[in-house]
Amino acid sequence: MEVMANLTIALDDEILRRARLKAVQQGTSVNALLRDYLTQFAGTRSAQEQAAKRFIDLAGKSRARKGTRRWTRDELHQR
């Protein structure tokens, strides 16, 4: 089990309010944003791992769904 440390920072109330609103719009939290930023800053994850995590996060938030239409190869390559 990974041990997590708590961090206290001092921020202007307005900055924190705007950060929270923006985080909600992105489907995350200020805590998660700071954790991801510090992880990247510290260099503990590779760029590929970060990109994969970001892709998976975005894919999970996508509203796109698989349809029932089946395309033929010719239809896909028709110009």
Side-chain angles (χ1 to χ4, degrees):
M1 182 169 91
E2 188 176 340
V3 177
M4 301 289 259
N6 288 323
L7 173 67
T8 302
I9 63 171
L11 288 176
D12 179 88
D13 287 341
E14 180 61 18
I15 291 172
L16 181 56
R17 185 188 72 76
R18 291 193 327 248
R20 283 179 174 153
L21 288 173
K22 201 166 192 176
V24 166
Q25 290 171 351
Q26 295 180 7
T28 189
S29 66
V30 172
N31 187 60
L33 289 169
L34 289 173
R35 184 176 46 248
D36 289 347
Y37 173 78
L38 289 174
T39 299
Q40 181 180 4
F41 180 75
T44 55
R45 277 200 224 161
S46 72
Q48 292 85 4
E49 287 173 322
Q50 291 173 25
K53 182 185 181 311
R54 180 77 175 135
F55 175 80
I56 291 168
D57 290 344
L58 288 172
K61 295 174 189 171
S62 173
R63 293 186 201 157
R65 296 293 173 250
K66 179 181 167 185
T68 57
R69 172 81 162 101
R70 294 286 196 185
W71 299 92
T72 66
R73 186 178 197 287
D74 291 336
E75 288 173 325
L76 291 174
H77 295 282
Q78 188 177 28
R79 294 186 188 234

